[in-house]
Structures are given as C-alpha cells and as structure tokens.
C-alpha cells in the first residue's frame, strides 16, 4: 500500500488529537483512502516533555525546519498557532512544494492572502478546515458544497466560550463574571479570556469565512467587533420576554450597499435554529441563493473534534497526492475588491433599554428624540422601579440605520431624565435571511 | 478559459434547478473553478414540451445515447430517476470513460455496488450528493469531512413529506389523513404518497448513507421499515406530555452485535436538536468517534436545493478534470462484510399505549406480562376513559429487546381486559449517542 508521509509542527491539544485519531482509526482511513498516512516527524518545543499520546521512538524533533525541508514529507501540518514562526514555516513548506494543513485562524485572518498566494505560486494547496468551527465542515461546505451558490448571508456562533457564558447567563441567571468563572472552571474559558469574550476570536473566524463566501479580501480591521462583556442578565431577561435569545453572532451578508461583516451580541428569535445552540457548541447558518438555508452544528473546539478536521484535510490532500496532484481546489478567489458596508450604514432592528426617572412625560421625550432620528418604535415594555428610583424602559424598534441610532442615543443619554447610558442590542430578523428563489 | 462540457439526461424538477443555477451563477462558478462549465446537450423525453428555463436553441435531444457517447462530454448528469433506463445510461457513460453525477437514490440503494464498481473499473467517478438530503452536504460530510471517524451513529430526518405531516399533526392536532391532504395541497406530498409515508424513500436514503458510514454493503431488504401511517394524534399528545416529539427517523448505529439499520417513527427527546426540525426540512445527526456530535440541517428537496447539490458535484468533478484526473475520491469501500443486527435483537426503550377496560387489577396484569418478558417499566400514565368504556394506559419502558417486546405484546393483546391492539413507538435515548472520547 502506498505510503504518504506527513510532518506535524506542534503537539499541543490539536496536534495530540490529530495524532491519536490517525492512530486509532488507521485501518479505517487506509481503507477509505486506499493508501496509508505515515506521521514521519513531529516538531515540538521540548522533546523531553511527557506526551498524552503514544509515539514511536525518535519521531519527535525540536527542529521544525527538518520537517519543512524533508523531501520525503508531502504534507506539512502546522498546529502551533500564532503568527510567527507559524507563518514562516508554512511559507517555507509551500515554497518547498509541500501541501500544508493548518488550524491557525489568527494567521489566516491576518495573512491569508499571502498564504493562499504562496500556495498558488508553488502549485500546492493549503487546507484549513480546522481553523474555524472545530470538527464542523464549514470550510468544505462553503468552498465545495455551496460552490454554485451566491451566499446571501452567513451567521455563525463561532466562539464556544462566549456561547457557554451566554447560555449560563440565560439558563441559570448568572452575571457575566459568575458565568465566566464557571466557564474557566469547566475548561471552556482560558485564564485570560479576552481574545474570546472581547470578540476578536470570532472576528478572526469571520474574516476567513467571509473571504470564502464573498470571494473578496476581508481585512480583519474592517470587521466591526463588540464582545459580550457588557451583556447584562437584565437584558437577557427582557429579551426572553420579547421572544429572543442573546447570542454572540459573527454575521456576514450581502446587501445592496456592500458586504456586512460584524461580530456583536444579537437578539435571535426563539424559533430560529441558532437559538437552540447551547453551551460550548458552534453553529453556522448559511443562506445561499440556490440551496436556501443550511445549518451546520457541532463541537467547535477540543482535541478530538479539531483533530477530526485536521485529519480530514490530510486525507483530502492525500487523495490528490495519490493521483499525482498537489492541489484539489486551488486558492480561494479573493482578488475582486468589493465594497464593505461601514457599520454606520448597517440597517437593523434594535433593542434599547433606557434608564430613566419615573416621571410623566419621560417616555414621550425619549420617543421624540428617536422620531427626530428616523427611528420608529415597534413595542415598549415599562415596569418596575429599581433602587435608585429610576425605571428601565425597553423598546424594540423597526428597522433603523446604525448611524441614526448612535446619534439618537447620544442625545437621549444627555437628557436630564435619563439616569444611565442606554443599552442597545441589535436584533436578527429571520425574514431578512429568506432564500431568494 | 478552459471549458468543461457536460451533458444532462432529464429536465424535470432537479434538472431545471441545476440548469438554472449553472446559468444564474455562471460567473461566480467560473471564478471559483478557474474554468467554465458548458451544458452541451440535455436529453428529454419530448423536445417540444415547454420548459421553465431559457435554453439555447438546439441543446435539447431525445436521444440520451448521444450524450453518453459524445466524446466531448466529460461529465454525464443523470436526473431521470428510477432504475431503468437510468442504470443503463450511467453504466454506459462510465464505460465510455465519463464521470457521472446522479441524484438517483432508488438506483443507488438497489444497484449502488454495481455502479460504484463500474466507476472503479472505468477509472472514473460517480458523484451522488443530490441523492440524499437535497442541498445538505451529507454525502460529502460522511465521505470527506468525517473520513477519519468511525461513525457510531447516524440519525436522519430524511423525508420532508413525513416530517411535514408529523409537524402538522403535532402542532395543529391534525389526524394523519388531514395532514396528508394538507401536505398534498401545499406541494409537499405526491398524489400517491406511499413511497414517502410507508418509509421506503427513507430506507433508500439510509441504504446509501449506511454503506458510506460503515464501509459495507447494506442491502435495502435488510433495513427494517415502518412508515408513519399508523401514527395517531393521541400518541403524539402523550409523547409530548412525556417530553418527546414523534419523528420518522432513519437510524443506523454500530453496536457490539452488529450494525443497526432501521426506519420507524421515533420518540425524540424535546431537547434534542432533531426535535426542532420542523415542516419539510431534513436533518442528519451524526456521532463520530472523533468529531463527537454533528448536525446538518436544511431543505431536503426541491429544484433549487437539489440543483445546488448537483452543481456542487459537477464542480467537484470539474476541479479534478481540470487537473487531468477523472477521479477524486474513488469508489466507496463497501466490500468488507459486516453483521447487520436483526431487528429482533435491537435494544431500545419503548412507549406503549394499551387500550384496556377500566377495572381493578388490569394494570398489574399487563405489568405482569411485561415482567415475564424481561421488560421493566420506567413510568406510567393512566387517565380519562374513552367512549367504549376502555382507558388508554401509557407506559415508558427501560431498555428492552425488540423480540421480547413483540412477544409480550402478543400476549398482552390476547388478554381479555385488553380491548385493542397495543400501540408502541421506539424511543431515542440521547445518552446512547454520546461521543466516546
């Protein structure tokens, strides 16, 4: 049986899952592939450290360069994460004529074009299923299964940490800090959770997906990013009363004005499939002009699920290599510039929670300001009184422009009767995402 | 730009969707593929019939053989359905060295091995994403994304007609016949719905999927099939009271005794993602030993979604053909015989609804029979009295063997106090499907 040799750089969580899966299901993979995958070398920082997977003696090296330049190795698997030295290893491997598999979302979000380009120039391929959504085949679905679709919208719950925290805030009434502490204890959040809870991890993933969905370069810094640290239990409760669940969505859609790319807490209608995605799960809800609505759901992180995706990429490339080819899809098409819609121009419905003194005329004053800014109100909840003598007033708006909303809230927040900065959350409307045919 | 010429046999619903999608998204597909797909000929039964898609003059032919033997055509797309003449066209096209795309589930379920074999011998490929699940990439996910996984279980809502009918029975309290009539009016059921409601369509799809999941030949006649015609609103209501939703599941899983393959109405726990799949949607819930649980969801039928899947297969093959290759995956591995678990040996929890006279001692009599057959009871509901003076007694069992259940119910149904044949529905237990790692 033909042997295809691979080298792995990095034996952390994902590397361990990958090696363990290749080993456990070796026979099955051989049968499906019609060839055998042999892990020839694994580069690690410290070869003496104990490992959670059985390894043949001598397979570890501290010199990643050996892998990158080994003429027997056909596929280099980069699993160290971060920009450097991952970027240099990948570029060197591609230039040495090797196929590359990577799970490195930060690198692809920041330097994707450079890497896709280098693969194209070398006549080889870079595969990156594991960079987004763990074992969920979102990259394959976008690049292959939906290749005949114009993607009208893509909605993702792409960060398991945030979804776990929001789930616990919703279901157990915890505060953000309580839920974060619990997530850290349960192993769903890092000691320094900022990359997750501030939304940057979600933005990395959205940059990768939107580039594929819209065949254009999506610079990371053009993505509007708002994390979940300011989400309050009170807003989750009001949201539920109104029939919504708060989720951190990574959202991209095509509008007449341009492509929207944004990450922010969102009120998702209870009946929407994304509202059922609980705890650390990830999900992608894609609307294509031909396929209609598709949902992919599963575990978005962890050694095994992510290892499953890395292995799938290795097998895909091995199938091409067996046929004497080093590419199967070619690079994503990203050269056609397209207008990205500035956040100010986004149109959405909004949830507002005003804090105001409990006095006649307050509601009309606030509504007046909104009206002056072309914002019309769909429904209002006003009840209770908090300890400071001020009351929460909750409103759901009809469609409004983000710029108008920001301007209106600046004015509202300066009103004498308003006692604290107004909270607002954007609302996902199902009907905007219906398929066109 | 390189041109890849294809021929299409059949211009019904799916053929029309395919041609319309290729035309509408022509530029997008060219850009993603790096080549252009040209529909050279389309074979139809009657070239004079009006068509719902604009066609260049002269493209239609009544001679499918012209397509099969046209040396310029690289990919033959079979969309006529049924066994013959579809089988002969596909075999001839493969032997003529062409790649084949088909949406023909009945043919693959009955003659899949012959067709996969013919493709392997010809050194070409047959692609069949559209045969199951409309535009949902279930075939690609099983064959590619989960290639490194042992599939522990696969649960599918694979028939939109049945799911629509069950949804309406559940949500509007309709009887089976009322819901069927409504489905027919809404275009979700055929005039002769028996292939759908009797479960055979689901069995066709399960045969295809289980062959891929378990790398073994799954003969259609080995699949246990029970449709939804006997599902009663009363059982749906009791199910809901107990926290379950009735779905027609196509189910395949690996157990110590062998592979289970079965299609039947199933009580799905309300919290399970499959319980949220409404109306004519399809969904697949797969548990892999490495990836854990994955759900794919979308529209399982219709011109556009199914056309999306056909186009994806065409693009996949065109990507290989551009690289000078006629295969990309090779045939599914199906040669290793594996034991299929006979239905009698299946272990499940069960829902029973007994109809019995309302008299002291009845419950203990029934429970006694169950006990004699190693069936233990987890919970009981008894209430009300129907017009004939008999009462429904509902029980949920712990795990029991199907053979014991059938034998016990034969005895129960002969009891003097029992007034009608006992209804039973198998229960899906989430915990049996948890990932192993």
């Amino acid at each position: 049986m033909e042997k295809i040799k691979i080298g792995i750089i990095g034996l952390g969580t994902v590397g361990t899952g990958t090696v363990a899966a290749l080993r456990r299901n070796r026979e099955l993979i051989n049968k499906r592939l019609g060839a055998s995958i042999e892990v020839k070398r694994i580069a690690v920082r410290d070869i003496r450290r104990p490992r959670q997977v059985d390894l043949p003696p001598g397979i570890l090296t501290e010199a990643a360069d050996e892998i990158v330049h080994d003429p027997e190795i056909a596929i280099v698997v980069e699993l160290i994460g971060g920009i450097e030295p991952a970027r240099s290893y990948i570029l060197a491997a591609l230039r040495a004529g090797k196929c590359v598999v990577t799970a490195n979302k930060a690198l692809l979000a920041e330097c994707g074009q450079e890497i896709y380009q280098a693969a194209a120039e070398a006549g080889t391929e870079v595969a990156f299923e594991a960079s987004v959504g763990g074992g969920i085949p979102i990259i394959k679905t976008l690049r292959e299964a939906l290749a005949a679709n114009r993607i009208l919208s893509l909605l993702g719950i792409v960060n398991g940490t945030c979804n776990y925290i929001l789930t616990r805030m919703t279901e157990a009434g915890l505060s953000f800090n309580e839920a974060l502490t619990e997530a850290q204890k349960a192993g769903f959040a890092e000691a320094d959770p900022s990359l997750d809870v501030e939304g940057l991890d979600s933005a990395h993933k959205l940059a990768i997906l939107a580039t594929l969905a819209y065949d254009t370069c999506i610079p990371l810094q053009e993505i509007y990013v708002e994390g979940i640290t300011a989400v309050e239990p009170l807003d989750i409760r009001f949201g539920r009363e109104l029939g919504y669940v708060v989720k951190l969505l990574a959202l991209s859609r095509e509008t007449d004005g341009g492509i929207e790319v944004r990450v922010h807490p969102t009120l998702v209608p209870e009946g929407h499939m994304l509202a059922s995605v609980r705890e650390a799960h990830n999900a992608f809800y894609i609307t294509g002009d031909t396929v209609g609505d598709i949902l992919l759901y599963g575990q978005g992180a962890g050694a095994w699920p992510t290892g499953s995706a890395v292995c799938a990429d290795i097998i895909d490339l091995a199938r091409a290599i067996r046929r004497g080819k080093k590419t199967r899809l070619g690079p994503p098409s990203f050269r056609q510039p397209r207008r990205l819609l500035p956040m100010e121009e986004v149109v959405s419905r909004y949830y507002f929670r005003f804090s105001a003194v409990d006095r006649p005329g307050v509601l009309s004053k606030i509504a007046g300001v909104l009206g002056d800014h072309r914002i019309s109100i769909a429904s209002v909840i006003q009840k209770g009184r908090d300890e400071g003598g001020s009351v929460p007033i909750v409103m759901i708006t009809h469609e409004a422009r983000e710029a108008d909303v920001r301007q209106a809230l600046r004015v509202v927040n300066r009103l004498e009767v308003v006692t604290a900065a107004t909270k607002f959350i954007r609302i996902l409307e199902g009907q905007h995402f219906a398929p066109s045919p």
Side-chain angles (χ1 to χ4, degrees), chain A:
Chain A
M1 184 172 268
E2 185 184 348
K3 267 188 191 166
I4 292 165
K5 296 191 182 179
I6 73 172
I8 299 176
I9 303 175
L11 193 57
T13 305
V14 178
T16 303
T18 301
V19 172
L22 286 174
R23 169 176 293 249
R24 176 168 68 182
N25 290 335
R26 181 179 184 81
E27 275 182 50
L28 196 66
I29 293 169
N30 290 354
K31 194 164 56 180
R32 291 173 179 169
L33 171 61
S36 125
I37 291 167
E38 190 194 326
V39 182
K40 190 182 174 197
R41 297 315 298 272
I42 303 173
V44 295
R45 219 174 309 175
D46 177 359
I47 61 170
R48 280 150 314 215
R49 229 182 93 186
R51 302 287 164 181
Q52 293 187 297
V53 60
D54 279 343
L55 296 170
I59 198 171
L60 294 182
T61 172
E62 290 178 6
D65 281 339
E66 277 180 27
I67 289 176
V68 168
H69 297 293
D70 184 333
E72 283 193 344
I73 287 177
I75 303 171
V76 172
V77 183
E78 179 277 306
L79 301 172
I80 51 177
I83 306 300
E84 284 295 352
R87 175 180 158 276
S88 298
Y89 291 145
I90 288 177
L91 292 174
L94 292 170
R95 284 171 194 145
K98 298 181 191 318
C99 293
V100 167
V101 173
T102 177
N104 195 328
K105 54 188 174 271
L107 178 62
L108 291 174
E110 293 191 16
C111 316
Q113 277 64 41
E114 179 186 22
I115 285 166
Y116 304 146
Q117 183 65 36
E121 282 165 12
T124 71
E125 183 118 355
V126 55
F128 48 96
E129 184 63 69
S131 64
V132 184
I136 305 167
I138 178 61
I139 304 282
K140 186 178 276 290
T141 296
L142 279 176
R143 296 198 68 192
E144 302 175 43
L146 303 185
N149 282 261
R150 196 158 61 86
I151 303 300
L152 305 180
S153 79
L154 190 156
L155 309 173
I157 293 175
V158 300
N159 185 281
T161 305
C162 290
N163 204 53
Y164 182 88
I165 291 171
L166 291 173
T167 302
R168 295 298 295 153
M169 290 177 72
T170 302
E171 297 181 3
L174 304 184
S175 70
F176 171 79
N177 283 321
E178 288 165 345
L180 171 60
T181 305
E182 195 189 281
Q184 285 168 325
K185 282 185 189 150
F188 291 127
E190 310 276 346
D192 174 3
S194 53
L195 203 62
D196 294 313
V197 299
E198 306 283 4
L200 187 59
D201 174 80
S202 298
H204 282 149
K205 292 164 178 168
L206 183 58
I208 295 171
L209 297 181
T211 294
L212 301 179
Y214 297 105
D215 304 278
T216 192
C217 173
I218 306 281
L220 189 57
Q221 62 277 14
E222 302 286 323
I223 297 176
Y224 175 82
V225 183
E226 195 183 307
I228 62 165
T229 52
V231 174
E232 292 184 31
L234 188 58
D235 297 307
I236 291 178
R237 283 208 301 278
F238 278 122
R240 295 202 79 173
E241 246 180 76
L242 293 157
Y244 296 98
V245 179
V246 178
K247 294 289 181 192
L248 182 70
L249 290 194
L251 187 160
S252 166
R253 62 175 175 172
E254 195 179 325
T255 66
D256 293 341
I259 308 290
E260 294 180 10
V261 276
R262 43 194 172 106
V263 171
H264 52 68
T266 309
L267 287 169
V268 176
E270 268 168 8
H272 197 289
M273 290 290 285
L274 287 177
S276 315
V277 177
R278 296 176 60 249
E279 300 191 335
H281 284 94
N282 282 18
F284 303 89
Y285 196 91
I286 307 162
T287 304
D289 70 334
T290 304
V291 79
D293 294 357
I294 290 270
L295 176 89
L296 308 182
Y297 161 94
Q299 288 171 250
W304 289 104
T306 313
S308 172
V310 172
C311 290
D313 275 349
I314 294 170
I315 294 168
D316 271 352
L317 292 171
R319 279 170 165 152
I321 290 167
R322 268 200 67 206
R323 292 170 173 80
K325 297 291 154 186
K326 287 181 180 177
T327 70
R328 53 186 297 276
L329 304 176
S333 59
F334 57 83
R335 285 158 190 283
Q336 190 189 343
R338 299 188 62 175
R339 180 170 195 258
L340 301 184
L341 197 73
M343 195 60 198
E344 292 69 25
E345 295 179 30
V346 162
V347 170
S348 176
R349 296 183 67 190
Y350 291 80
Y351 159 99
F352 295 145
R353 176 167 57 83
F354 304 99
S355 300
V357 296
D358 190 7
R359 191 190 299 163
V362 167
L363 191 59
S364 95
K365 225 172 219 149
I366 291 173
V369 174
L370 298 181
D372 291 346
H373 291 84
R374 291 162 297 278
I375 300 165
S376 77
I377 299 163
S379 55
V380 180
I381 301 180
Q382 180 174 355
K383 58 182 174 189
R385 179 177 298 200
D386 77 14
E387 284 157 23
S390 76
V391 289
I393 301 171
V394 169
M395 285 184 193
I396 298 287
T397 73
H398 289 297
E399 288 200 334
R401 273 181 77 239
E402 176 90 8
D404 290 335
V405 165
R406 293 186 191 177
Q407 183 53 34
L409 295 188
R410 268 192 291 271
V411 177
V412 166
N413 289 342
R414 282 197 304 260
L415 291 176
E416 204 195 326
V417 294
V418 166
T419 56
T422 302
K423 288 278 179 181
F424 72 105
I425 306 179
R426 296 167 195 90
I427 296 176
L428 176 70
E429 290 301 317
Q431 58 268 33
H432 291 182
F433 297 96
S436 72

